[in-house]
Amino acid sequence: MLTSTHTHYSSISGRMTSALTLYSATFMRYSMAVSPKNYLLFACHLINFGSQSTQGVRFLKYWNYGGREEALKMQAKTKEGLRVAEKEGKKMLQQGERQVNEAKDKVMK
């Protein structure tokens, strides 16, 4: 559960997250309703409720509050940066090859 907070936002299922959040909330309540009170069950579902709530917030931020658009903009900037770097790299390679050829010509004379 806790490691899933590092997965990409687009892989979060909103339906499953909301179902697991409700499930955990229900069984937290149930663990306190039984006699004797089951604190271990409560603690497990409390942690799961917190984890699912975190995933739910991440899901909403990505799909409803501009996170997806931000990610797409960042992806476009990254691609542009790679194109520029590739172009500059090719220029530097050509310049290096030219310098090597000039050095060879000087040595051969």
Side-chain angles (χ1 to χ4, degrees):
M1 283 295 166
L2 296 177
T3 58
S4 64
T5 59
H6 300 292
T7 59
H8 194 268
Y9 302 100
S10 62
S11 65
I12 300 171
S13 168
R15 286 183 172 183
M16 182 60 78
T17 299
S18 59
L20 289 172
T21 303
L22 290 173
Y23 167 82
S24 293
T26 301
F27 276 90
M28 274 194 310
R29 173 70 182 106
Y30 172 76
S31 69
M32 292 292 109
V34 295
S35 181
K37 295 180 192 282
N38 191 337
Y39 293 108
L40 181 60
L41 182 64
F42 180 82
C44 291
H45 285 291
L46 178 66
I47 291 170
N48 191 31
F49 181 82
S51 299
Q52 293 304 322
S53 297
T54 300
Q55 290 294 78
V57 168
R58 292 180 71 226
F59 177 83
L60 289 173
K61 281 173 102 174
Y62 184 76
W63 291 106
N64 296 49
Y65 297 111
R68 184 169 186 267
E69 290 77 18
E70 221 174 277
L72 292 173
K73 284 179 189 175
M74 184 64 78
Q75 186 179 27
K77 285 182 183 179
T78 302
K79 285 182 181 179
E80 181 59 31
L82 287 173
R83 276 190 227 116
V84 169
E86 183 180 20
K87 187 177 177 181
E88 290 298 317
K90 285 180 181 178
K91 281 183 189 177
M92 292 178 74
L93 180 63
Q94 290 171 350
Q95 184 182 11
E97 287 173 346
R98 192 176 29 209
Q99 287 176 349
V100 166
N101 289 335
E102 288 174 3
K104 279 182 184 178
D105 289 343
K106 285 181 182 179
V107 169
M108 297 303 243
K109 288 183 182 182

